[in-house]
Amino acid sequence: MKTMGAIRILPASKVAETVCGLVIDAVCRLPDDVLFALHAAKDIETGAAHAVLAQIIENEALARAARRPCCQDTGLAVVFIDIGQDVHVDGSLIDAVNLGVAEAYRKAYLRKSVLSAIARENTGDNTPAILHMRMVPGDRVSIHVTPKGFGSENMSRLFMLKPAEGEDGILESITQTARLGAANACPPVILGVGVGGTMEGAAILAKRQLLRACGSKASTPTLRRLEKEALRRVNALGIGPMGFGGRTTALAVLIGEMPTHLAGLPVAVNVQCHCARHAGAVI
Amino acid sequence: MKQIQLPLSARDIAILHAGETVTLYGEAVIARDAAHKRLYAMLQTGADLPFSLSGACIYYAGPCPAAPGEVIGPCGPTTSGRVDAYTPALIEAGLSAMIGKGARAPEVVHAMRGRAVYFAATGGAAILLSSHIVAAEVIAFADLEAEAVRRVTLAGMPVIVAIDAQGNSALWPIA
């Protein structure tokens, strides 16, 4: 029998503390890549579209300075954790994530938007978080928090395409999602797209794309080509910033791919508003 | 920039035109999804409403809690379309201005004709917009917390006339 390697002990309280800090960091500023894309969009827009982008950029500066949320919809906390298999979390990891979320929403005066789905009773502390966990090699824990607003989440779609629909079907799914929903999703939007897997696999892959920087390169030449063409088609719709018409309906289309069944081609399109907040840390 | 006083005058309702950028001053009432469901039920049963709809301006929003020193927490608009099912009845009862974001149903645009104007504020610009709210108090449905009904005083809130009382729209798809 092999002897066991060194196991790193990580107190659950450290996870809670990290999640709390990441939530507050995420909601009170925009990532640099999003700001860069917003500035670039403002430079090419005119009229109401230009005015709206100027307000969004000014608002971000005010939020950052005041350390208050850019958007009042401080979202449902979606937390991605990659946990090294050589780490032992001392205490409940799930409880720690929820404690961190609850503490952030309480102490930073963030909006508590989570309620029971059918009775619509608010849970009072914005928990439970949505937690996506993977076991990975190593002794580190990587945590990404993306508080998700629902004006945009509501406009997301899942397509279970036939394999024959291929690349055209993928592009049409993305464009259709934007055509039907981007105007109400606080454009310019970012579209996270998951292609392949299963119904839920595609959806999680789509959400994972939203952690990528705007303008980051997709993993394969095919995906890079599809991202470019999808962005061209979405921006050709002319919906524009906040739906006032313009060249910038989306700042980016970010596509991820995973193997799927020979009988299917799932495509999930997760719509993200311009307030594309996320923050990460490795502990 | 044109300054508009709330409640809207008959003249403003008649002349405000889709696409105009204006700043709003005066009293508005914050109400969104859950509050609309209750207001609509009260209208259906003839119960007394917690505020008068006559000439009212409703701002579709659900602010963050106020931090110490704030009049109101960050407070940008929410998607207006989610209350479209209730809006024609509210306009019928006197509602003359709405502030929100995104498209409206044809029934709402029809009900607005000659009677109401729909303004769009920039979604996600919550701190910028709340800096133009100079007074706020919860006046009904406190149990709804973020969705409670609040009376607010606006001072120069920047908005765009999204749909005017003649049925013109500045929103995509632009005719």
Side-chain angles (χ1 to χ4, degrees), chain A residues 196-234:
Chain A
T198 49
M199 181 191 82
E200 86 289 1
I204 295 170
L205 184 62
K207 180 138 278 142
R208 233 174 238 292
Q209 302 314 303
L210 297 178
L211 301 176
R212 285 174 49 197
C214 281
S216 66
K217 277 196 160 183
S219 52
T220 68
T222 300
L223 291 178
R224 291 199 280 277
R225 178 169 49 77
L226 287 172
E227 285 185 350
K228 195 174 167 195
E229 176 59 14
L231 183 62
R232 190 193 65 75
R233 291 192 190 186
V234 169

Side-chain angles (χ1 to χ4, degrees), chain B residues 141-157:
Chain B
F141 313 152
D143 59 301
L144 294 177
E145 300 178 24
E147 292 196 72
V149 172
R150 292 165 167 85
R151 193 187 306 281
V152 292
T153 306
L154 310 182
M157 180 177 282

Side-chain angles (χ1 to χ4, degrees), chain B residues 102-119:
Chain B
R104 306 305 303 259
E107 296 75 23
V108 172
V109 180
H110 179 75
M112 285 170 57
R113 280 187 177 270
R115 293 195 284 198
V117 177
Y118 169 50
F119 301 98

Side-chain angles (χ1 to χ4, degrees), chain A residues 118-139:
Chain A
I118 298 171
R120 314 301 289 179
E121 283 158 1
N122 200 297
T123 64
D125 61 4
N126 221 57
T127 67
I130 301 291
L131 180 55
H132 299 298
M133 227 173 338
R134 291 189 300 207
M135 193 70 107
V136 297
D139 66 353

Side-chain angles (χ1 to χ4, degrees), chain A residues 11 26 46 49 58 63 82 102 107 109 127 179 202 234 271 275 277-278:
Chain A
T46 56
E58 184 190 352
D82 284 353
K107 85 170 179 192
Y109 300 90
T127 67
R179 191 187 302 119
V234 169
V271 182
C275 194
R277 308 159 288 193
H278 52 88

Side-chain angles (χ1 to χ4, degrees), chain A residues 9-276:
Chain A
I9 309 289
L10 181 69
S13 59
K14 178 72 185 165
V15 173
E17 201 180 291
T18 305
V19 167
C20 175
L22 289 174
V23 169
I24 299 171
D25 282 346
V27 297
C28 296
R29 52 169 295 183
L30 291 181
D32 290 344
D33 58 285
V34 177
L35 270 179
F36 182 82
L38 287 168
H39 276 283
K42 187 183 128 203
D43 289 345
I44 61 163
E45 296 286 2
T46 56
H50 180 90
V52 156
L53 290 166
Q55 283 188 7
I56 291 166
I57 291 165
E58 184 190 352
N59 180 71
E60 199 273 346
L62 293 172
R64 191 186 285 237
R67 204 158 166 77
R68 292 291 280 143
C70 297
C71 178
Q72 76 290 336
D73 184 355
T74 45
L76 205 173
V78 180
V79 181
F80 290 90
I81 295 187
D82 284 353
I83 180 164
Q85 58 198 30
D86 299 330
V87 182
H88 170 74
V89 175
D90 189 19
S92 163
L93 178 60
I94 293 170
D95 287 352
V97 168
N98 285 319
L99 274 171
V101 167
E103 178 64 2
Y105 281 77
R106 185 194 62 77
K107 85 170 179 192
Y109 300 90
L110 310 184
R111 200 179 83 189
K112 274 69 87 178
S113 308
V114 177
L115 36 70
S116 59
I118 298 171
R120 314 301 289 179
E121 283 158 1
N122 200 297
T123 64
D125 61 4
N126 221 57
T127 67
I130 301 291
L131 180 55
H132 299 298
M133 227 173 338
R134 291 189 300 207
M135 193 70 107
V136 297
D139 66 353
R140 298 283 135 184
V141 177
S142 158
I143 305 177
H144 276 88
V145 173
T146 173
K148 190 67 174 73
F150 256 56
S152 56
E153 190 74 357
N154 281 337
M155 300 300 142
S156 303
R157 283 171 189 268
L158 175 73
F159 302 82
M160 301 303 284
L161 300 182
K162 295 183 182 73
E165 293 176 85
E167 288 191 8
D168 279 347
I170 295 167
L171 290 167
E172 178 49 29
S173 300
I174 298 167
T175 315
Q176 188 188 335
T177 301
R179 191 187 302 119
L180 296 176
N184 282 348
C186 283
V189 296
I190 296 172
L191 300 174
V193 183
V195 177
T198 49
M199 181 191 82
E200 86 289 1
I204 295 170
L205 184 62
K207 180 138 278 142
R208 233 174 238 292
Q209 302 314 303
L210 297 178
L211 301 176
R212 285 174 49 197
C214 281
S216 66
K217 277 196 160 183
S219 52
T220 68
T222 300
L223 291 178
R224 291 199 280 277
R225 178 169 49 77
L226 287 172
E227 285 185 350
K228 195 174 167 195
E229 176 59 14
L231 183 62
R232 190 193 65 75
R233 291 192 190 186
V234 169
N235 283 335
L237 292 170
I239 296 170
M242 292 310 294
F244 287 113
R247 296 164 68 181
T248 322
T249 299
L251 298 173
V253 179
L254 304 166
I255 309 178
E257 180 190 7
M258 69 197 290
T260 186
H261 189 280
L262 56 83
L265 178 55
V267 177
V269 185
N270 197 187
V271 182
Q272 169 66 56
C273 60
H274 60 72
C275 194

